[in-house]
Amino acid sequence: SQTEPIKVMISGAPASGKGTQCEMIVQKFGLVHISTGDLLRAELSAGTEIGNKAKEYMNSGRLVPDEIVTAMVTARLSQQDAKEKGWLLDGYPRSFAQAQSLEKLKMRPDIYIVLDVPDEILIDRCVGRRLDPGTGKIYHIKNFPPETDEIKAKVITRPDDTEEKVKSRLQIYKQNAEAILSTYSDIMNKIDGNRTKEVIFKDIDALLSQVQREKEKTTKLG
Ligand code: AP5
């Protein structure tokens, strides 16, 4: 029988580098990246019903109601590509209720990664962040400036990336972090996210490769 693909959850405060690491993880492991922030921003710009409901919450840095986000995520996780290639869930669960919804559906990751970054660095990362609206690629005005003048001219700033909104997003994250962790403490791996993105990826790569090897072993034995 074929080895089951790996299932990964990545968590961490706003701007801890989840999206940046996910780009690198997808490139190496070919998992289906499911980012609730990206999915919601796509609904918003397409002007869908979900997008219209989510807009005021997102732009003010508050959490979108659980039932909206949970329906969106479970639908995406159930699609064929996620079952075949494995998944990388980014930005969900963000509340205890969300974690319990996944548990009820028996959607459990093999590993739960938490990126750990000090508060003062998070604020600078958010305020300096820029996005290429075409490719979705993540930049930072100082740390990772756009490669060309053409990209530089078209990058955008997220409306929730002001200092004030980042502080309230961070507070909401902290209020929920512990309760979510209690669901995944047995598979939790905390990673120092205050290093270069390549060094951070090395650690994540080692962890995921280990998970993959263990799955292959169990398949052979079974
Ligand atoms: P979401 O898009 O998930 O935002 P977030 O969790 O606040 O995370 P970010 O996207 O801000 O940061 P990131 O960790 O991906 O960092 P990045 O790699 O970009 O959610 C947005 C909103 O949607 C929420 O506020 C909420 O309203 C709603 N929402 C989403 N999910 C929800 C849910 N489950 N329930 C309810 N509501 C939900 O990096 C940040 C910056 O730092 C970049 O500029 C990058 O270039 C730079 N950087 C990255 N790594 C490094 C490094 N190692 N060194 C230096 N700079 C770095």
Side-chain angles (χ1 to χ4, degrees), residues 40-49 51-52:
L40 287 168
R41 278 185 289 277
E43 299 278 353
L44 218 102
S45 59
T48 64
E49 198 186 328
N52 294 337

Side-chain angles (χ1 to χ4, degrees), residues 5 32 34 76-87:
V32 175
I34 304 172
R76 187 64 191 89
L77 280 170
S78 312
Q79 282 175 27
Q80 200 56 31
D81 60 342
K83 287 185 191 161
E84 274 167 15
K85 297 179 190 161
W87 44 260

Side-chain angles (χ1 to χ4, degrees), residues 12-21 35-38 40-41 57-58 61-66 69 90-94 98 115 125-126 128-131 138-141 143-144 158 160-161 169 193-197 200:
S16 55
K18 301 181 293 291
T20 301
Q21 291 301 320
S35 155
T36 46
D38 288 351
L40 287 168
R41 278 185 289 277
Y57 296 98
M58 294 182 75
R62 285 176 299 149
L63 291 182
V64 174
D66 286 341
V69 188
D90 159 12
Y92 190 99
R94 257 207 176 65
Q98 291 181 9
L115 293 175
R125 282 193 189 177
C126 266
R129 169 169 41 201
R130 297 293 181 274
L131 297 173
I138 306 162
Y139 294 97
H140 187 281
I141 45 171
N143 308 348
F144 307 109
R158 265 168 53 175
D160 59 345
D161 272 348
R169 283 159 62 198
N194 191 19
R195 298 175 295 166
T196 68
K197 60 178 180 183
I200 298 166

Side-chain angles (χ1 to χ4, degrees), residues 63-76:
L63 291 182
V64 174
D66 286 341
E67 58 277 15
I68 296 176
V69 188
T70 298
M72 200 179 67
V73 167
T74 52
R76 187 64 191 89

Side-chain angles (χ1 to χ4, degrees), residues 12-216:
S16 55
K18 301 181 293 291
T20 301
Q21 291 301 320
C22 286
E23 285 177 2
M24 301 165 92
I25 296 169
V26 167
Q27 213 161 32
K28 164 121 197 217
F29 292 90
L31 306 176
V32 175
H33 179 208
I34 304 172
S35 155
T36 46
D38 288 351
L39 289 175
L40 287 168
R41 278 185 289 277
E43 299 278 353
L44 218 102
S45 59
T48 64
E49 198 186 328
I50 292 179
N52 294 337
K53 279 189 197 151
K55 190 172 183 167
E56 46 157 324
Y57 296 98
M58 294 182 75
N59 287 346
S60 64
R62 285 176 299 149
L63 291 182
V64 174
D66 286 341
E67 58 277 15
I68 296 176
V69 188
T70 298
M72 200 179 67
V73 167
T74 52
R76 187 64 191 89
L77 280 170
S78 312
Q79 282 175 27
Q80 200 56 31
D81 60 342
K83 287 185 191 161
E84 274 167 15
K85 297 179 190 161
W87 44 260
L88 171 60
L89 194 50
D90 159 12
Y92 190 99
R94 257 207 176 65
S95 66
F96 184 67
Q98 291 181 9
Q100 291 307 304
S101 302
L102 286 190
E103 290 286 291
K104 264 193 217 125
L105 294 166
K106 304 218 184 317
M107 289 173 167
R108 199 173 163 78
D110 301 305
I111 185 166
Y112 184 76
I113 293 173
V114 182
L115 293 175
D116 191 30
V117 177
D119 293 0
E120 53 300 352
I121 286 170
L122 295 171
I123 292 167
D124 172 74
R125 282 193 189 177
C126 266
V127 175
R129 169 169 41 201
R130 297 293 181 274
L131 297 173
D132 182 332
T135 62
K137 199 164 179 237
I138 306 162
Y139 294 97
H140 187 281
I141 45 171
K142 285 182 301 202
N143 308 348
F144 307 109
E147 298 93 346
T148 65
D149 284 343
E150 198 187 330
I151 302 173
K152 202 177 283 172
K154 70 176 177 190
V155 291
I156 53 163
T157 308
R158 265 168 53 175
D160 59 345
D161 272 348
T162 65
E163 179 164 351
E164 192 192 348
K165 287 178 194 169
V166 175
K167 283 184 176 158
S168 95
R169 283 159 62 198
L170 185 54
Q171 208 169 3
I172 294 169
Y173 171 77
K174 287 181 176 171
Q175 281 163 4
N176 289 294
E178 223 163 297
I180 299 167
L181 198 62
S182 67
T183 311
Y184 303 110
S185 51
D186 54 330
I187 49 168
M188 197 271 270
N189 273 275
K190 201 187 238 183
I191 293 197
D192 177 2
N194 191 19
R195 298 175 295 166
T196 68
K197 60 178 180 183
E198 292 80 13
V199 172
I200 298 166
F201 180 67
K202 242 186 177 174
D203 282 359
I204 294 179
D205 185 5
L207 283 171
L208 300 190
S209 300
Q210 168 83 22
V211 169
Q212 210 163 37
R213 278 195 300 274
E214 268 160 27
K215 285 207 142 182
E216 278 161 16

